[in-house]
Amino acid sequence: MQTYRLTVDKFLDHAAAWSAEGIVQALPGGGRLRVTYADVRARANRMSGALVAVGLEPGERIGTLAWNTRHHFEIYYATMGLGLVCHTLNPRLTRAQLARMVREAEDVALAVAPDLVPLALELAPLCPGLRHIIVLDEPTPASAPEGVQVWDYEELLAAKGAPVQWGGFDEDTPAGLCYTSGTTGEPKGVLYTHRSNYLHTLRTLQADAFAITARDVVLLAVPMFHANGWGLPFSVPAAGARLVLPGRDLDGESLARLMREEKVTVAVGVPTVWIGVLDWLGHEGGELPALDRLLVGGSTCPEALVRRVEDRLGARVQTSWGMTELSPLGTIAPPADTSDKPGRSGRPPVGLEIKLTDDQGVALAEQRGNVGRLRVKGASVIESYFKSDEDVLDAEGYFDTGDLAMIDDDGNLAICGRSKDLIKSGGEWINPAEIEAIVGGLPTVSAVAVIARSDKKWGERPVLVIQRSAGAKTSHAALLDSLRGQVADWWLPTEIVEVDRMPLAPTGKIDKTRLREQLESGAITAATIET
Amino acid sequence: MQTYRLTVDKFLDHAAAWSAEGIVQALPGGGRLRVTYADVRARANRMSGALVAVGLEPGERIGTLAWNTRHHFEIYYATMGLGLVCHTLNPRLTRAQLARMVREAEDVALAVAPDLVPLALELAPLCPGLRHIIVLDEPTPASAPEGVQVWDYEELLAAKGAPVQWGGFDEDTPAGLCYTSGTTGEPKGVLYTHRSNYLHTLRTLQADAFAITARDVVLLAVPMFHANGWGLPFSVPAAGARLVLPGRDLDGESLARLMREEKVTVAVGVPTVWIGVLDWLGHEGGELPALDRLLVGGSTCPEALVRRVEDRLGARVQTSWGMTELSPLGTIAPPADTSDKPGRSGRPPVGLEIKLTDDQGVALAEQRGNVGRLRVKGASVIESYFKSDEDVLDAEGYFDTGDLAMIDDDGNLAICGRSKDLIKSGGEWINPAEIEAIVGGLPTVSAVAVIARSDKKWGERPVLVIQRSAGAKTSHAALLDSLRGQVADWWLPTEIVEVDRMPLAPTGKIDKTRLREQLESGAITAATIET
């Protein structure tokens, strides 16, 4: 059979040839930008030519500090189609973290949203390899730092743009680079290849997974700097569907208006953004009659949110589990699955192998109904971190996700916590996630985390950290009472900390590393309680 | 990212691990065999061990002369999982054709349905490389020819079966071999690889293509010896759906009963079999309430059939175009497409590139709205025929399908004929397919073919061959009148032949090669007519 390289430029080529659809981008102020895939393809291809013209060479890395816009989408294809690596950076990280990433990646250029230009200018002196800053979305004045050329995207395209040949290189060529959130330890880079992205795309397009058709209007409310925007910048054009990009604004009002006006059928994002949409609709009124389903991931979807979406919007919720190291899709509930399985994250579409093991990495004899360490294998799963010698695969080639999971009799995966969060007390394991689920269900508590504190007698003991709901009152005794009978007595936290505001990592997850540091340094103090 | 080889054994592994579904096989006499994928996987894997035990080695070829049964399905995986090549043979070919294929493929074993054992025993002396005959489905007495061992499938499995490691070889390893129908010229072999089959499977599982979900019950009414049974022995377990195998009986009654009793939701086959089902239901009464859609391919689906299915069954018809050389899917109408486009074969799901060219292979400047030669490129498209030096790709790597096609403004493909069937008269082309479509629409005509006859003056002239409908009367003048005004006057056939029965190739298509031979040899005679 033919040698046909699996490179991602083929997705946009396909959309340009076969789809009359394209991209709709929300503009600041409520306007819309509308472009066909054929136009986007031609522009992105000419931008590749511009990148060549200013001296970039295949294999080099371009960082992006950008929101979900047409220009960011074009940079994806302009870089990847040419064999450059698109290194998406999370603008919510600290300047020091970003500088470390840009230096490690040896980014030679940054493509930057207008409001992030000041950040980019701060990074420039910290990143000696940086030669170009390309300002996206709209003309923005910026004084060029020493040794760095600053370009306006449209001016660069007009001045230097030229058609080039995309693809033609090996399918194992790197295409993208994305750092993990680093909620446990330093962020680490995941280097995606054309092959891993291509196969991830086909895997997600199955009818029991993303199931996108040419008639869909898909809202990408997950940032394109999070694990390829869950692959949707590839899968939506590959299916010939319309792609709606919200720009920077992910607040409830902006998204609700966008979904209503653009007749979005499938909307993709983390639970938090949908709570915002529901809250706004609850306040302002109105329906989203075109909406068929919400595709939710990033963290476990609260059962209450599922019910609200079904009751208020008449739409279905597709829960999923994934991680940056998996490109990112792991498991997903089918679009048609209306069964009542709170906390479940669906099943793996073909192309990902899963096993649950004990702490020593030995597969559990019975894979169903037992909690184990979740290990995975597949064409879109990491083999090793970027510029790291650490061996992250076991002898059978499985990657240890660090998650604890259970698989029910129907094959649905439920994430039960992080193995690194586990607390070893008196030689036995305590799972913070179970305690957090119970305490987090109390109306008086708006956020909760259970972390380990070293203990001379027990090795480690659990510390309960809570953020009280606004105006709520609760006692330590009431918190512990909620746990009694639900978990073993020796799991009951020995100390409780109240914080005004839970520290969050840039992905929105609670930053347990910071909490532990604050506790060790005395920045927050715990009250010892009687158990 | 991980090195994860795309081998087809992973589909059955996935089904065994994640699906509680399996195979239902219709047994002669109306009974049913039911097995889970986990059982089928274990049995097929042990059969691999049995094949090793009797001396077969990876890379060797096993022919199958078999219907759609559980044993045939197991042989697919038992051979491919081990790196053997599963060479599906069409039992409706002549003994001489089959012997030539078995010799060219150097098949060392034949897996044979009980009723085809006499055929296999006839082939044995013509095929000196043959060492084993494995009788499928049920115990059948057979005397072993010289140098050949005859095995009963279940006895072989019980006596020699043992678990083996599947996969682990390069993804470009050959997996299957299938010969083209040979309606124009000698049959030629297409050697599928694991990679081409794996990618074809993912490509077909998209929501606008086969769209199979874990809740589907899929009837495979296309023989497994036709181009991998359109890939369904891979895609159905990969999706975790139930696979219904009809055995040998593809008559209307058998299929209608099977579909009704097994609550089939998706049924796959050529138009002829669905006409049989509709005819039987029309006569006997009854509905197929579970049926959601018919997936039709193999030849252009008559518009009247689409209407009958929609009206009589309340089901949708998904039309498609494919060929053995494409694994086989080319284009397909989406499941949800209810638009009225007679004669259309849908669009290419991502993974296949299409261009229309002129006779010299130059791409048409305007790809839409013009008839051109259909050329394709993709990971599941042939590069060269088995054991052939003929270069079948153009300079850009496209395979010339030999079909003439047009693409409408919505991107739907319509096949307009075979380029090899074209008749060159006075330096201009006549397209037999257009004439056939008009004459074939007459109620007095049940089958029609237009073939070329060499002509001293014009080079070639068209000869109209018809088979009259039972009891119908028609005159040559009436036939020509139907064409006048519809085609150019110089396209009007100069001769007409009436045959009692149109010669058919083993795939059910009209055998034009044979018709031309019969005409040249005088076996059939044409009446010259005034035009």
Side-chain angles (χ1 to χ4, degrees), chain A residues 1-2 4 14 17-18 171 191 195-196 208 213-215 327 347-348 353 368 377-382 393 397 411, chain B residues 1-2 4 14 17-18 171 195-196 208 213-215 327 347-348 353 368 377-382 393 397 411:
Chain A
M1 307 303 279
Q2 294 187 4
Y4 185 84
H14 182 80
W18 294 99
E171 68 191 36
L191 190 66
R195 176 180 162 103
S196 70
D208 271 340
T213 75
R215 291 161 308 289
S327 300
R347 294 189 287 183
E353 297 179 28
R368 301 288 169 99
K377 184 156 84 168
S380 305
V381 177
I382 193 170
L393 305 190
Chain B
M1 308 302 279
Q2 294 187 3
Y4 185 84
H14 183 80
W18 294 99
E171 68 192 36
R195 175 180 163 102
S196 69
D208 271 341
T213 75
R215 292 162 306 290
S327 299
R347 295 189 286 183
E353 296 178 29
R368 301 286 168 99
K377 184 156 84 169
S380 307
V381 177
I382 192 170
L393 306 189

Side-chain angles (χ1 to χ4, degrees), chain B residues 147-169:
Chain B
V148 175
Q149 276 188 285
V150 177
W151 304 91
D152 173 78
Y153 184 97
E154 292 292 342
E155 284 180 11
L156 175 60
L157 185 60
K160 308 267 187 184
V164 296
Q165 182 80 39
W166 273 350
F169 38 75

Side-chain angles (χ1 to χ4, degrees), chain B residues 62-146:
Chain B
I62 292 192
T64 69
L65 280 166
W67 314 110
N68 288 14
T69 66
R70 184 255 308 245
H71 280 176
H72 198 183
F73 182 94
E74 288 176 358
I75 283 285
Y76 259 54
Y77 283 93
T79 52
M80 297 185 199
L82 201 58
L84 291 161
V85 177
C86 184
H87 172 203
T88 51
L89 290 153
N90 183 338
R92 300 201 181 89
L93 294 169
T94 66
R95 196 177 60 174
Q97 286 175 309
L98 289 168
R100 189 182 76 76
M101 291 174 185
V102 171
R103 285 196 304 265
E104 182 173 277
E106 301 172 67
D107 293 332
V108 295
L110 285 178
V112 185
D115 60 311
L116 298 170
V117 167
L119 175 59
L121 296 179
E122 286 177 10
L123 288 173
L126 306 175
C127 306
L130 201 62
R131 304 199 307 264
H132 303 277
I133 290 175
I134 302 167
V135 181
L136 306 176
D137 304 338
E138 55 196 67
T140 307
S143 56
E146 179 74 23

Side-chain angles (χ1 to χ4, degrees), chain B residues 24-317:
Chain B
V24 177
Q25 181 199 325
L27 296 173
R32 301 279 192 276
L33 176 77
R34 293 174 198 280
V35 275
T36 64
Y37 286 124
D39 283 346
V40 168
R41 196 263 170 215
R43 285 171 47 89
N45 186 265
R46 290 180 61 83
M47 179 49 80
S48 289
L51 297 176
V52 171
V54 301
L56 272 67
E57 291 178 14
E60 289 192 310
R61 261 100 45 200
I62 292 192
T64 69
L65 280 166
W67 314 110
N68 288 14
T69 66
R70 184 255 308 245
H71 280 176
H72 198 183
F73 182 94
E74 288 176 358
I75 283 285
Y76 259 54
Y77 283 93
T79 52
M80 297 185 199
L82 201 58
L84 291 161
V85 177
C86 184
H87 172 203
T88 51
L89 290 153
N90 183 338
R92 300 201 181 89
L93 294 169
T94 66
R95 196 177 60 174
Q97 286 175 309
L98 289 168
R100 189 182 76 76
M101 291 174 185
V102 171
R103 285 196 304 265
E104 182 173 277
E106 301 172 67
D107 293 332
V108 295
L110 285 178
V112 185
D115 60 311
L116 298 170
V117 167
L119 175 59
L121 296 179
E122 286 177 10
L123 288 173
L126 306 175
C127 306
L130 201 62
R131 304 199 307 264
H132 303 277
I133 290 175
I134 302 167
V135 181
L136 306 176
D137 304 338
E138 55 196 67
T140 307
S143 56
E146 179 74 23
V148 175
Q149 276 188 285
V150 177
W151 304 91
D152 173 78
Y153 184 97
E154 292 292 342
E155 284 180 11
L156 175 60
L157 185 60
K160 308 267 187 184
V164 296
Q165 182 80 39
W166 273 350
F169 38 75
D170 192 273
E171 68 192 36
D172 289 318
T173 300
L177 177 64
C178 184
Y179 279 76
T180 59
S181 64
T183 47
T184 52
E186 275 295 293
K188 289 175 279 192
V190 179
L191 191 65
Y192 303 116
T193 65
H194 280 267
R195 175 180 163 102
S196 69
N197 281 342
Y198 191 103
L199 291 168
H200 181 267
T201 302
L202 281 188
R203 186 169 168 261
T204 61
L205 284 175
Q206 294 177 65
D208 271 341
F210 291 179
I212 299 166
T213 75
R215 292 162 306 290
D216 278 317
V217 179
V218 183
L219 172 68
L220 183 58
V222 58
M224 287 167 63
F225 54 76
H226 279 170
N228 292 324
W230 299 358
L232 286 143
F234 305 125
S235 54
V236 177
R242 188 178 301 171
L243 179 63
V244 179
L245 296 177
R248 183 184 176 174
D249 299 326
L250 299 183
D251 62 284
E253 175 174 357
S254 301
L255 290 181
R257 287 185 186 279
L258 188 60
M259 291 164 80
R260 189 160 59 199
E261 289 164 19
E262 299 299 333
K263 300 185 174 60
V264 165
T265 60
V266 180
V268 186
V270 295
T272 325
V273 305
W274 309 126
I275 293 171
V277 168
L278 285 162
D279 286 351
W280 188 81
L281 285 171
H283 190 257
E284 298 287 323
E287 307 292 328
L288 300 175
L291 187 68
D292 181 53
R293 56 192 160 103
L294 295 181
L295 205 162
V296 175
S299 61
T300 303
C301 186
E303 181 61 9
L305 176 59
V306 175
R307 295 288 156 257
R308 277 182 79 191
V309 171
E310 290 173 351
D311 296 347
R312 179 66 180 82
L313 302 180
R316 292 168 294 167
V317 174

Side-chain angles (χ1 to χ4, degrees), chain A residues 1-6 10-11 13-14 17-20 171 190-193 195-196 198-199 202-203 205-208 211-215 238-239 324-327 331 334-337 346-354 368 376-384 393 397-399 407 410-413, chain B residues 1-6 10-11 13-14 17-20 171 190-193 195-196 198-199 202-203 205-208 211-215 238-239 324-327 331 334-337 346-354 368 376-384 393 397-399 407 410-413:
Chain A
M1 307 303 279
Q2 294 187 4
T3 303
Y4 185 84
R5 297 185 187 94
L6 309 179
K10 292 185 161 79
F11 296 136
D13 286 350
H14 182 80
W18 294 99
S19 173
E171 68 191 36
V190 179
L191 190 66
Y192 302 115
T193 66
R195 176 180 162 103
S196 70
Y198 191 104
L199 291 169
L202 282 187
R203 185 168 168 262
L205 284 174
Q206 294 178 63
D208 271 340
I212 299 166
T213 75
R215 291 161 308 289
T324 304
E325 291 90 336
L326 272 65
S327 300
T331 60
D337 193 350
R347 294 189 287 183
V350 75
L352 187 82
E353 297 179 28
I354 285 181
R368 301 288 169 99
V376 297
K377 184 156 84 168
S380 305
V381 177
I382 193 170
E383 182 166 276
S384 60
L393 305 190
Y398 283 80
F399 167 69
I407 301 167
D410 294 329
N412 288 291
L413 188 86
Chain B
M1 308 302 279
Q2 294 187 3
T3 304
Y4 185 84
R5 297 186 186 92
L6 309 179
K10 292 184 161 78
F11 296 135
D13 285 351
H14 183 80
W18 294 99
S19 173
E171 68 192 36
V190 179
L191 191 65
Y192 303 116
T193 65
R195 175 180 163 102
S196 69
Y198 191 103
L199 291 168
L202 281 188
R203 186 169 168 261
L205 284 175
Q206 294 177 65
D208 271 341
I212 299 166
T213 75
R215 292 162 306 290
T324 304
E325 290 90 336
L326 272 66
S327 299
T331 60
D337 193 350
R347 295 189 286 183
V350 74
L352 188 82
E353 296 178 29
I354 286 181
R368 301 286 168 99
V376 297
K377 184 156 84 169
S380 307
V381 177
I382 192 170
E383 182 166 277
S384 62
L393 306 189
Y398 284 78
F399 167 68
I407 301 167
D410 295 328
N412 289 292
L413 188 86

Side-chain angles (χ1 to χ4, degrees), chain A residues 278-292:
Chain A
L278 285 162
D279 285 352
W280 188 82
L281 285 172
H283 190 257
E284 299 287 323
E287 307 291 328
L288 299 175
L291 186 68
D292 182 52

Side-chain angles (χ1 to χ4, degrees), chain A residues 283-327:
Chain A
H283 190 257
E284 299 287 323
E287 307 291 328
L288 299 175
L291 186 68
D292 182 52
R293 56 192 160 103
L294 295 181
L295 205 161
V296 176
S299 61
T300 302
C301 186
E303 179 62 8
L305 176 60
V306 175
R307 294 289 156 258
R308 277 182 79 192
V309 171
E310 290 173 348
D311 295 346
R312 178 68 180 79
L313 301 179
R316 293 167 293 166
V317 174
Q318 246 186 302
T319 53
S320 69
W321 162 76
M323 53 197 307
T324 304
E325 291 90 336
L326 272 65
S327 300

